[in-house]
Amino acid sequence: MTDNSTNGSLQNTKDALYDNTQAAAGYVQNHPATQNVRQTVSNGPVAETVKDQHAKTTSEFQNLADSRAPPNQSTATGQPLTHYHSFFYNLLSWENPRATSIAFLSTVFFIFATRYLPALRWSFKILSYALGLTASAELAGKLVLGNGLARVIRPKKYYTIPRETLEASLEDVEQLINFFVIEFQRILFAENVTATAAAFFAALISYWLIKFTPLWGLTLIATSTLYLTPLIYKSNKEFIDAHLENASNVVNSQANQMKDLTAHHVGRYSETAKQYAGDYTAKAQNYIGGARGRSTSPETSNSTPANAPLKSEPGDAPAYQPSDFPHAPKQEPTSGVTSHQEQYQNSEFGGQAQPAT
């Protein structure tokens, strides 16, 4: 009996408090001062400006979302690009300035938040407060009222991620990963020389900056460069294009001059090489002709008679006759030892061996 009366008094107090709160809110809402402020805020110039900017921002974000479509352009290997190529091009080209500005400022704020705000510790703190509050409410309700209070805030059905949403999210993640993979390969294999050169300088500068710049600072510099470079180019397009055209003309003229100079020197070297080759070829032919003439001379000498006298040219050494040379001995010597004098007498040109005196 006591529990029922206590529950009834609590319910009456609760209903009375709710009615008084609603009555006070209605009085404040219907007060003339409140109506005047509402009219001023809703229909004043500030409100019109806010509504106009809100509508434009919403439209630009919608255009940015609609730009996520695969472009008609393909890679050098013929592979189709992802829809993130169109999305990031639309975002970084400042075609929707309000959406790009919000994205840039949000990225910068996130970098500073991860650097200076203990977001992870705060997340665990908020989670602990929420879990402690629900647990305390449930225990207090069961002890005082006999029923837990957590079921009051508990939803009728727990939220689940639909399968279609999950599959679309996974497909979107796949497209994002493939965007970075494809772009890295296109830059690495110089599909666009300008982009490859810019990536080279960015990597070189990052190599030196990372020695004394923290990671968050390097990320902030990269983000600012990525967002602000297209904006600077878009704001000064004519001036930058004129200077780039002049630089291109200077480089092309220097390249043509070097090409002509190289062709001139190559022509001279080629002519010199041909001249030396002709000289060496003529000398080689002369040497080959002389060698062939000497190889045919024994046949000519064999055609002459054996006892024909040799002819000598003026100024040449005197020719010798066969009779000028000694005859070979026809008999063996009688004694085993021949004196030196006998050998000398036998070696006389055209004479017979004489006995020694």
Side-chain angles (χ1 to χ4, degrees), residues 311-340:
K311 296 181 180 181
S312 61
E313 297 294 333
D316 293 344
Y320 293 98
Q321 300 295 329
S323 59
D324 295 336
F325 297 94
H327 295 285
K330 297 180 180 180
Q331 295 180 354
E332 295 292 333
T334 57
S335 62
V337 178
T338 304
S339 64
H340 177 72

PDB file of all heavy atoms in Angstrom, residues 311-340:
ATOM      1  N   LYS A 311     120.634 -11.838-114.202  1.00  0.00           N
ATOM      2  CA  LYS A 311     120.815 -10.449-114.630  1.00  0.00           C
ATOM      3  C   LYS A 311     120.783  -9.544-113.423  1.00  0.00           C
ATOM      4  O   LYS A 311     120.001  -9.739-112.513  1.00  0.00           O
ATOM      5  CB  LYS A 311     119.723 -10.036-115.618  1.00  0.00           C
ATOM      6  CG  LYS A 311     119.763 -10.825-116.914  1.00  0.00           C
ATOM      7  CD  LYS A 311     118.669 -10.347-117.841  1.00  0.00           C
ATOM      8  CE  LYS A 311     118.709 -11.134-119.165  1.00  0.00           C
ATOM      9  NZ  LYS A 311     117.649 -10.685-120.121  1.00  0.00           N
ATOM     10  N   SER A 312     121.641  -8.601-113.489  1.00  0.00           N
ATOM     11  CA  SER A 312     121.706  -7.628-112.387  1.00  0.00           C
ATOM     12  C   SER A 312     121.427  -6.252-112.916  1.00  0.00           C
ATOM     13  O   SER A 312     121.824  -5.904-114.025  1.00  0.00           O
ATOM     14  CB  SER A 312     123.078  -7.669-111.718  1.00  0.00           C
ATOM     15  OG  SER A 312     124.092  -7.341-112.649  1.00  0.00           O
ATOM     16  N   GLU A 313     120.734  -5.510-112.125  1.00  0.00           N
ATOM     17  CA  GLU A 313     120.392  -4.147-112.477  1.00  0.00           C
ATOM     18  C   GLU A 313     121.516  -3.220-112.065  1.00  0.00           C
ATOM     19  O   GLU A 313     122.327  -3.540-111.178  1.00  0.00           O
ATOM     20  CB  GLU A 313     119.096  -3.716-111.786  1.00  0.00           C
ATOM     21  CG  GLU A 313     117.879  -4.534-112.206  1.00  0.00           C
ATOM     22  CD  GLU A 313     117.525  -4.303-113.668  1.00  0.00           C
ATOM     23  OE1 GLU A 313     117.841  -3.219-114.191  1.00  0.00           O
ATOM     24  OE2 GLU A 313     116.913  -5.213-114.263  1.00  0.00           O
ATOM     25  N   PRO A 314     121.625  -2.082-112.716  1.00  0.00           N
ATOM     26  CA  PRO A 314     122.662  -1.124-112.311  1.00  0.00           C
ATOM     27  C   PRO A 314     122.454  -0.702-110.877  1.00  0.00           C
ATOM     28  O   PRO A 314     121.348  -0.401-110.458  1.00  0.00           O
ATOM     29  CB  PRO A 314     122.459   0.055-113.256  1.00  0.00           C
ATOM     30  CG  PRO A 314     121.755  -0.517-114.424  1.00  0.00           C
ATOM     31  CD  PRO A 314     120.907  -1.619-113.909  1.00  0.00           C
ATOM     32  N   GLY A 315     123.562  -0.688-110.152  1.00  0.00           N
ATOM     33  CA  GLY A 315     123.509  -0.298-108.747  1.00  0.00           C
ATOM     34  C   GLY A 315     123.269  -1.446-107.818  1.00  0.00           C
ATOM     35  O   GLY A 315     123.336  -1.276-106.607  1.00  0.00           O
ATOM     36  N   ASP A 316     122.877  -2.633-108.348  1.00  0.00           N
ATOM     37  CA  ASP A 316     122.626  -3.786-107.497  1.00  0.00           C
ATOM     38  C   ASP A 316     123.935  -4.488-107.204  1.00  0.00           C
ATOM     39  O   ASP A 316     124.975  -4.247-107.830  1.00  0.00           O
ATOM     40  CB  ASP A 316     121.651  -4.752-108.142  1.00  0.00           C
ATOM     41  CG  ASP A 316     120.271  -4.130-108.249  1.00  0.00           C
ATOM     42  OD1 ASP A 316     120.035  -3.103-107.539  1.00  0.00           O
ATOM     43  OD2 ASP A 316     119.439  -4.638-109.029  1.00  0.00           O
ATOM     44  N   ALA A 317     123.915  -5.430-106.277  1.00  0.00           N
ATOM     45  CA  ALA A 317     125.092  -6.243-105.966  1.00  0.00           C
ATOM     46  C   ALA A 317     125.401  -7.165-107.141  1.00  0.00           C
ATOM     47  O   ALA A 317     124.498  -7.570-107.878  1.00  0.00           O
ATOM     48  CB  ALA A 317     124.843  -7.039-104.696  1.00  0.00           C
ATOM     49  N   PRO A 318     126.680  -7.552-107.397  1.00  0.00           N
ATOM     50  CA  PRO A 318     127.026  -8.434-108.542  1.00  0.00           C
ATOM     51  C   PRO A 318     126.372  -9.784-108.402  1.00  0.00           C
ATOM     52  O   PRO A 318     126.269 -10.333-107.299  1.00  0.00           O
ATOM     53  CB  PRO A 318     128.551  -8.530-108.473  1.00  0.00           C
ATOM     54  CG  PRO A 318     128.882  -8.207-107.056  1.00  0.00           C
ATOM     55  CD  PRO A 318     127.885  -7.204-106.606  1.00  0.00           C
ATOM     56  N   ALA A 319     125.881 -10.300-109.527  1.00  0.00           N
ATOM     57  CA  ALA A 319     125.232 -11.618-109.540  1.00  0.00           C
ATOM     58  C   ALA A 319     126.285 -12.716-109.566  1.00  0.00           C
ATOM     59  O   ALA A 319     127.346 -12.578-110.190  1.00  0.00           O
ATOM     60  CB  ALA A 319     124.317 -11.733-110.754  1.00  0.00           C
ATOM     61  N   TYR A 320     126.001 -13.835-108.942  1.00  0.00           N
ATOM     62  CA  TYR A 320     126.926 -14.974-108.882  1.00  0.00           C
ATOM     63  C   TYR A 320     126.480 -16.031-109.848  1.00  0.00           C
ATOM     64  O   TYR A 320     125.276 -16.236-110.042  1.00  0.00           O
ATOM     65  CB  TYR A 320     126.972 -15.532-107.453  1.00  0.00           C
ATOM     66  CG  TYR A 320     127.592 -14.574-106.458  1.00  0.00           C
ATOM     67  CD1 TYR A 320     126.811 -13.767-105.661  1.00  0.00           C
ATOM     68  CD2 TYR A 320     128.984 -14.493-106.346  1.00  0.00           C
ATOM     69  CE1 TYR A 320     127.377 -12.888-104.748  1.00  0.00           C
ATOM     70  CE2 TYR A 320     129.562 -13.620-105.443  1.00  0.00           C
ATOM     71  CZ  TYR A 320     128.761 -12.825-104.657  1.00  0.00           C
ATOM     72  OH  TYR A 320     129.317 -11.960-103.755  1.00  0.00           O
ATOM     73  N   GLN A 321     127.505 -16.787-110.416  1.00  0.00           N
ATOM     74  CA  GLN A 321     127.256 -17.903-111.312  1.00  0.00           C
ATOM     75  C   GLN A 321     127.320 -19.203-110.519  1.00  0.00           C
ATOM     76  O   GLN A 321     127.959 -19.274-109.461  1.00  0.00           O
ATOM     77  CB  GLN A 321     128.285 -17.934-112.453  1.00  0.00           C
ATOM     78  CG  GLN A 321     128.283 -16.679-113.318  1.00  0.00           C
ATOM     79  CD  GLN A 321     126.982 -16.516-114.066  1.00  0.00           C
ATOM     80  OE1 GLN A 321     126.344 -17.515-114.420  1.00  0.00           O
ATOM     81  NE2 GLN A 321     126.558 -15.272-114.321  1.00  0.00           N
ATOM     82  N   PRO A 322     126.684 -20.282-111.030  1.00  0.00           N
ATOM     83  CA  PRO A 322     126.760 -21.566-110.306  1.00  0.00           C
ATOM     84  C   PRO A 322     128.167 -22.065-110.165  1.00  0.00           C
ATOM     85  O   PRO A 322     128.502 -22.775-109.214  1.00  0.00           O
ATOM     86  CB  PRO A 322     125.899 -22.485-111.159  1.00  0.00           C
ATOM     87  CG  PRO A 322     124.946 -21.571-111.849  1.00  0.00           C
ATOM     88  CD  PRO A 322     125.745 -20.336-112.138  1.00  0.00           C
ATOM     89  N   SER A 323     129.071 -21.706-111.138  1.00  0.00           N
ATOM     90  CA  SER A 323     130.444 -22.197-111.056  1.00  0.00           C
ATOM     91  C   SER A 323     131.233 -21.531-109.955  1.00  0.00           C
ATOM     92  O   SER A 323     132.342 -21.962-109.631  1.00  0.00           O
ATOM     93  CB  SER A 323     131.154 -21.970-112.399  1.00  0.00           C
ATOM     94  OG  SER A 323     131.144 -20.575-112.710  1.00  0.00           O
ATOM     95  N   ASP A 324     130.687 -20.438-109.402  1.00  0.00           N
ATOM     96  CA  ASP A 324     131.393 -19.763-108.332  1.00  0.00           C
ATOM     97  C   ASP A 324     131.334 -20.515-107.021  1.00  0.00           C
ATOM     98  O   ASP A 324     132.091 -20.206-106.097  1.00  0.00           O
ATOM     99  CB  ASP A 324     130.813 -18.354-108.124  1.00  0.00           C
ATOM    100  CG  ASP A 324     131.062 -17.466-109.346  1.00  0.00           C
ATOM    101  OD1 ASP A 324     132.008 -17.746-110.079  1.00  0.00           O
ATOM    102  OD2 ASP A 324     130.285 -16.491-109.532  1.00  0.00           O
ATOM    103  N   PHE A 325     130.432 -21.489-106.907  1.00  0.00           N
ATOM    104  CA  PHE A 325     130.276 -22.208-105.658  1.00  0.00           C
ATOM    105  C   PHE A 325     131.011 -23.545-105.750  1.00  0.00           C
ATOM    106  O   PHE A 325     131.089 -24.147-106.827  1.00  0.00           O
ATOM    107  CB  PHE A 325     128.793 -22.442-105.360  1.00  0.00           C
ATOM    108  CG  PHE A 325     128.052 -21.155-105.160  1.00  0.00           C
ATOM    109  CD1 PHE A 325     127.392 -20.556-106.218  1.00  0.00           C
ATOM    110  CD2 PHE A 325     128.056 -20.557-103.908  1.00  0.00           C
ATOM    111  CE1 PHE A 325     126.725 -19.378-106.027  1.00  0.00           C
ATOM    112  CE2 PHE A 325     127.378 -19.378-103.727  1.00  0.00           C
ATOM    113  CZ  PHE A 325     126.719 -18.782-104.771  1.00  0.00           C
ATOM    114  N   PRO A 326     131.604 -24.107-104.713  1.00  0.00           N
ATOM    115  CA  PRO A 326     132.339 -25.393-104.751  1.00  0.00           C
ATOM    116  C   PRO A 326     131.417 -26.558-104.973  1.00  0.00           C
ATOM    117  O   PRO A 326     130.236 -26.478-104.665  1.00  0.00           O
ATOM    118  CB  PRO A 326     132.990 -25.424-103.379  1.00  0.00           C
ATOM    119  CG  PRO A 326     132.100 -24.620-102.509  1.00  0.00           C
ATOM    120  CD  PRO A 326     131.579 -23.514-103.388  1.00  0.00           C
ATOM    121  N   HIS A 327     132.015 -27.642-105.545  1.00  0.00           N
ATOM    122  CA  HIS A 327     131.266 -28.875-105.751  1.00  0.00           C
ATOM    123  C   HIS A 327     131.264 -29.694-104.489  1.00  0.00           C
ATOM    124  O   HIS A 327     132.217 -29.664-103.710  1.00  0.00           O
ATOM    125  CB  HIS A 327     131.892 -29.698-106.892  1.00  0.00           C
ATOM    126  CG  HIS A 327     131.797 -28.991-108.223  1.00  0.00           C
ATOM    127  ND1 HIS A 327     130.659 -28.876-108.975  1.00  0.00           N
ATOM    128  CD2 HIS A 327     132.770 -28.345-108.928  1.00  0.00           C
ATOM    129  CE1 HIS A 327     130.884 -28.203-110.079  1.00  0.00           C
ATOM    130  NE2 HIS A 327     132.198 -27.865-110.076  1.00  0.00           N
ATOM    131  N   ALA A 328     130.223 -30.409-104.302  1.00  0.00           N
ATOM    132  CA  ALA A 328     130.137 -31.278-103.131  1.00  0.00           C
ATOM    133  C   ALA A 328     131.058 -32.466-103.310  1.00  0.00           C
ATOM    134  O   ALA A 328     131.186 -32.993-104.421  1.00  0.00           O
ATOM    135  CB  ALA A 328     128.704 -31.740-102.928  1.00  0.00           C
ATOM    136  N   PRO A 329     131.728 -32.933-102.268  1.00  0.00           N
ATOM    137  CA  PRO A 329     132.601 -34.114-102.403  1.00  0.00           C
ATOM    138  C   PRO A 329     131.791 -35.348-102.735  1.00  0.00           C
ATOM    139  O   PRO A 329     130.682 -35.532-102.225  1.00  0.00           O
ATOM    140  CB  PRO A 329     133.250 -34.190-101.036  1.00  0.00           C
ATOM    141  CG  PRO A 329     132.339 -33.478-100.118  1.00  0.00           C
ATOM    142  CD  PRO A 329     131.715 -32.405-100.918  1.00  0.00           C
ATOM    143  N   LYS A 330     132.387 -36.166-103.644  1.00  0.00           N
ATOM    144  CA  LYS A 330     131.725 -37.395-104.069  1.00  0.00           C
ATOM    145  C   LYS A 330     132.223 -38.613-103.323  1.00  0.00           C
ATOM    146  O   LYS A 330     131.607 -39.677-103.403  1.00  0.00           O
ATOM    147  CB  LYS A 330     131.924 -37.609-105.562  1.00  0.00           C
ATOM    148  CG  LYS A 330     131.297 -36.513-106.404  1.00  0.00           C
ATOM    149  CD  LYS A 330     131.512 -36.777-107.867  1.00  0.00           C
ATOM    150  CE  LYS A 330     130.882 -35.685-108.718  1.00  0.00           C
ATOM    151  NZ  LYS A 330     131.094 -35.931-110.174  1.00  0.00           N
ATOM    152  N   GLN A 331     133.372 -38.569-102.630  1.00  0.00           N
ATOM    153  CA  GLN A 331     133.909 -39.706-101.891  1.00  0.00           C
ATOM    154  C   GLN A 331     134.139 -39.302-100.459  1.00  0.00           C
ATOM    155  O   GLN A 331     134.368 -38.133-100.144  1.00  0.00           O
ATOM    156  CB  GLN A 331     135.234 -40.175-102.521  1.00  0.00           C
ATOM    157  CG  GLN A 331     135.050 -40.724-103.938  1.00  0.00           C
ATOM    158  CD  GLN A 331     136.391 -41.180-104.531  1.00  0.00           C
ATOM    159  OE1 GLN A 331     137.450 -40.976-103.899  1.00  0.00           O
ATOM    160  NE2 GLN A 331     136.352 -41.811-105.706  1.00  0.00           N
ATOM    161  N   GLU A 332     134.140 -40.316 -99.578  1.00  0.00           N
ATOM    162  CA  GLU A 332     134.409 -40.104 -98.179  1.00  0.00           C
ATOM    163  C   GLU A 332     135.897 -39.898 -97.989  1.00  0.00           C
ATOM    164  O   GLU A 332     136.728 -40.415 -98.773  1.00  0.00           O
ATOM    165  CB  GLU A 332     133.954 -41.305 -97.357  1.00  0.00           C
ATOM    166  CG  GLU A 332     132.456 -41.531 -97.381  1.00  0.00           C
ATOM    167  CD  GLU A 332     131.735 -40.423 -96.655  1.00  0.00           C
ATOM    168  OE1 GLU A 332     132.328 -39.793 -95.743  1.00  0.00           O
ATOM    169  OE2 GLU A 332     130.552 -40.155 -97.006  1.00  0.00           O
ATOM    170  N   PRO A 333     136.348 -39.129 -97.064  1.00  0.00           N
ATOM    171  CA  PRO A 333     137.781 -38.966 -96.816  1.00  0.00           C
ATOM    172  C   PRO A 333     138.425 -40.271 -96.392  1.00  0.00           C
ATOM    173  O   PRO A 333     137.781 -41.122 -95.776  1.00  0.00           O
ATOM    174  CB  PRO A 333     137.815 -37.907 -95.723  1.00  0.00           C
ATOM    175  CG  PRO A 333     136.496 -37.977 -95.066  1.00  0.00           C
ATOM    176  CD  PRO A 333     135.531 -38.348 -96.147  1.00  0.00           C
ATOM    177  N   THR A 334     139.720 -40.501 -96.805  1.00  0.00           N
ATOM    178  CA  THR A 334     140.437 -41.751 -96.528  1.00  0.00           C
ATOM    179  C   THR A 334     140.758 -41.903 -95.080  1.00  0.00           C
ATOM    180  O   THR A 334     140.731 -43.009 -94.536  1.00  0.00           O
ATOM    181  CB  THR A 334     141.745 -41.811 -97.354  1.00  0.00           C
ATOM    182  OG1 THR A 334     142.504 -40.651 -97.014  1.00  0.00           O
ATOM    183  CG2 THR A 334     141.410 -41.825 -98.836  1.00  0.00           C
ATOM    184  N   SER A 335     141.108 -40.899 -94.466  1.00  0.00           N
ATOM    185  CA  SER A 335     141.423 -40.986 -93.030  1.00  0.00           C
ATOM    186  C   SER A 335     140.301 -40.402 -92.209  1.00  0.00           C
ATOM    187  O   SER A 335     139.522 -39.583 -92.686  1.00  0.00           O
ATOM    188  CB  SER A 335     142.726 -40.249 -92.718  1.00  0.00           C
ATOM    189  OG  SER A 335     142.601 -38.883 -93.030  1.00  0.00           O
ATOM    190  N   GLY A 336     140.187 -40.879 -90.985  1.00  0.00           N
ATOM    191  CA  GLY A 336     139.102 -40.412 -90.120  1.00  0.00           C
ATOM    192  C   GLY A 336     139.258 -38.988 -89.735  1.00  0.00           C
ATOM    193  O   GLY A 336     138.299 -38.321 -89.395  1.00  0.00           O
ATOM    194  N   VAL A 337     140.568 -38.407 -89.803  1.00  0.00           N
ATOM    195  CA  VAL A 337     140.778 -37.023 -89.383  1.00  0.00           C
ATOM    196  C   VAL A 337     141.316 -36.251 -90.546  1.00  0.00           C
ATOM    197  O   VAL A 337     142.253 -36.694 -91.227  1.00  0.00           O
ATOM    198  CB  VAL A 337     141.752 -36.943 -88.201  1.00  0.00           C
ATOM    199  CG1 VAL A 337     142.001 -35.509 -87.796  1.00  0.00           C
ATOM    200  CG2 VAL A 337     141.239 -37.779 -87.038  1.00  0.00           C
ATOM    201  N   THR A 338     140.805 -35.191 -90.866  1.00  0.00           N
ATOM    202  CA  THR A 338     141.230 -34.319 -91.949  1.00  0.00           C
ATOM    203  C   THR A 338     141.838 -33.087 -91.354  1.00  0.00           C
ATOM    204  O   THR A 338     141.260 -32.468 -90.455  1.00  0.00           O
ATOM    205  CB  THR A 338     140.054 -33.922 -92.847  1.00  0.00           C
ATOM    206  OG1 THR A 338     139.440 -35.108 -93.321  1.00  0.00           O
ATOM    207  CG2 THR A 338     140.534 -33.102 -94.045  1.00  0.00           C
ATOM    208  N   SER A 339     143.005 -32.750 -91.877  1.00  0.00           N
ATOM    209  CA  SER A 339     143.685 -31.595 -91.308  1.00  0.00           C
ATOM    210  C   SER A 339     142.985 -30.325 -91.702  1.00  0.00           C
ATOM    211  O   SER A 339     142.210 -30.279 -92.659  1.00  0.00           O
ATOM    212  CB  SER A 339     145.152 -31.558 -91.785  1.00  0.00           C
ATOM    213  OG  SER A 339     145.189 -31.374 -93.184  1.00  0.00           O
ATOM    214  N   HIS A 340     143.373 -29.315 -90.961  1.00  0.00           N
ATOM    215  CA  HIS A 340     142.796 -28.005 -91.231  1.00  0.00           C
ATOM    216  C   HIS A 340     143.220 -27.466 -92.572  1.00  0.00           C
ATOM    217  O   HIS A 340     142.438 -26.835 -93.283  1.00  0.00           O
ATOM    218  CB  HIS A 340     143.220 -27.041 -90.119  1.00  0.00           C
ATOM    219  CG  HIS A 340     142.724 -25.639 -90.343  1.00  0.00           C
ATOM    220  ND1 HIS A 340     141.404 -25.277 -90.214  1.00  0.00           N
ATOM    221  CD2 HIS A 340     143.404 -24.528 -90.718  1.00  0.00           C
ATOM    222  CE1 HIS A 340     141.259 -24.009 -90.471  1.00  0.00           C
ATOM    223  NE2 HIS A 340     142.491 -23.526 -90.811  1.00  0.00           N
TER     224      HIS A 340
END
